[in-house]
DNA sequence: TTTACTGCAAAGGGTTTGCATGAGG
DNA sequence: CCTCATGCAAACCCTTTGCAGTAAA
C-alpha cells in the first residue's frame, strides 16, 4: 500500500505521522495538476474541516524536505509537484495548466552528467519548465482560464 | 553600441525609453549573478538616488515583456536573468550563488523539439535549473553566504 | 509522559497599486 | 501637447511565526 511508503519516508526523517500530514501528502501525490497551496487546502478540508493554511504550509515544507514532493515557486505563488523524477513541466501561458511531459527524463539525466563532468557542479535535483502554448490553446484560443505565471 | 539594441527593442514594444529604464536594463544585462530586485535597486541608485523600488519593479516587468531579460521566481523572491538563450542555471544550495552553465544549450533545444513533436506543446521559452553543490562548496564547506532557495 | 504538531491569530515582507508630478515623443 | 513614466505612500496577499491546547510515540 502506498500509504506505508509515505509513512516510512516520514518516520525516516524523524517527523511524526499525523492524519493531517497523510491527507496532505495523499492530496498532492494523487494529483497531476500541480496544485497551489490554496487548492491543496480546499481539497484536504473536505476531510479535515478545521485545518488551517498554516498547517498546510508547515506540512508541505516537511514533505518537501522528506523528498516526497517538490515545491515549484512561480511569480504569484508556489505550486506542488508529486513527480520527483527528472521530467519536463509544460506550463501553458494560455490556460495556466501545468502538465508533465511524458518523456525527456533520459535527456535530462544525460544533461546532468554532462554538466557535472564539465563544470564539477553536483546536481541533487532539477527543475525544467517549458513555457508556451498547449495543443488545446494553440488550436483555437479557448476559454482562457487564468494566465500562467 | 549595445544601448541602441535596447532602445530599439523597447521602442518596438511601444514603451518609452527613459534614463531610468536604460540604467535598470544595463544593470541586469551587464550582470551574471542573477541579481534580486533589491540588488538591482541598490546598483541603479548609485546613478539615480531618488529611484524607488516601485520603479524598479515596474521596469523589470517592462523589460521582461520586451524579451530583454527573464524573471526567475524563487521561493523567497525573484531573481533576474540577462541570458535569454537556452541554458542551464546552476543554483548552489550551499552558497546560494546562481551561475549559467557554459553548455547544454544544444541539448535543451533538442529537448524542446522532441517535446514539441511528441506532445504538440509549442514552447516559447524555458527555464532549466539544476540545484546542487558548486565545486567550491563541494570541496570544503566554505563560508556559507546564504542558503539558496 | 514527553515532545512535537495542530489550529488560531497576528505579524512579516516581497510585490502591486493609486495618485500627483514630471518627462518622453 | 498628450500620454505615459516616476516617485511616494499605502494597500495586497502569500507566507511565516508565536502561542496554547492536543495528539503521537
Amino acid at each position: 500500500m502506498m500509504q506505508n511508503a509515505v509513512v516510512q519516508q516520514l518516520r525516516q526523517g524523524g517527523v511524526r505521522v499525523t492524519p493531517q500530514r497523510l491527507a496532505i501528502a495523499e492530496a498532492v501525490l494523487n494529483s497531476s495538476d500541480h496544485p497551489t497551496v490554496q487548492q491543496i487546502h480546499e481539497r484536504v478540508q473536505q476531510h479535515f474541516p478545521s485545518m488551517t493554511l498554516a498547517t498546510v504550509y508547515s506540512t508541505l515544507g516537511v514533505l518537501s524536505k522528506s523528498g516526497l514532493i517538490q515545491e515549484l515557486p512561480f511569480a504569484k505563488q508556489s505550486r506542488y509537484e508529486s513527480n520527483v523524477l527528472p521530467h519536463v513541466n509544460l506550463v501553458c501561458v494560455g490556460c495556466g495548466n501545468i502538465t508533465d511531459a511524458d518523456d525527456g527524463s533520459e535527456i535530462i539525466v544525460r544533461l546532468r552528467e554532462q554538466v557535472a563532468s564539465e563544470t564539477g557542479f553536483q546536481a541533487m535535483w532539477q527543475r525544467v519548465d517549458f513555457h508556451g502554448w498547449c495543443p488545446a490553446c494553440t488550436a483555437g484560443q479557448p476559454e482562457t482560464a487564468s494566465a500562467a505565471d
Side-chain angles (χ1 to χ4, degrees), chain A:
Chain A
M1 191 177 293
M2 192 196 66
Q3 286 242 0
N4 284 332
V6 174
V7 172
Q8 281 186 11
Q9 202 152 345
L10 286 179
R11 290 234 173 88
Q12 209 158 346
V15 296
R16 283 186 187 164
V17 178
T18 67
Q20 290 93 331
R21 285 182 173 175
L22 289 178
I24 293 170
E26 194 180 353
V28 179
L29 293 175
N30 289 345
S31 74
S32 63
D33 59 345
H34 307 75
T36 66
V37 173
Q38 300 278 350
Q39 289 173 322
I40 297 166
H41 182 224
E42 289 167 7
R43 294 172 193 179
V44 176
Q45 255 192 343
Q46 298 179 351
H47 301 69
F48 295 83
S50 62
M51 188 183 293
T52 61
L53 271 173
T55 298
V56 179
Y57 275 108
S58 161
T59 298
L60 289 173
V62 169
L63 297 176
S64 297
K65 282 172 199 141
S66 301
L68 285 163
I69 65 175
Q70 193 173 342
E71 181 182 2
L72 298 180
F74 281 94
K76 302 175 193 294
Q77 85 267 50
S78 282
R79 299 181 69 154
Y80 286 85
E81 162 84 74
S82 56
N83 184 0
V84 294
L85 300 175
H87 69 280
V88 179
N89 294 127
L90 304 179
V91 184
C92 181
V93 300
C95 57
N97 290 341
I98 304 178
T99 57
D100 287 0
D102 288 333
D103 51 15
S105 4
E106 324 77 31
I107 295 186
I108 295 174
V109 171
R110 216 173 318 132
L111 183 52
R112 272 177 63 155
E113 293 167 354
Q114 178 180 328
V115 169
S117 67
E118 296 190 5
T119 71
F121 188 94
Q122 297 294 332
M124 315 276 305
W125 71 91
Q126 71 290 315
R127 174 180 182 181
V128 182
D129 288 0
F130 284 6
H131 296 253
W133 298 89
C134 71
C137 288
T138 301
Q141 251 60 340
E143 40 280 273
T144 301
S146 60
D149 296 83

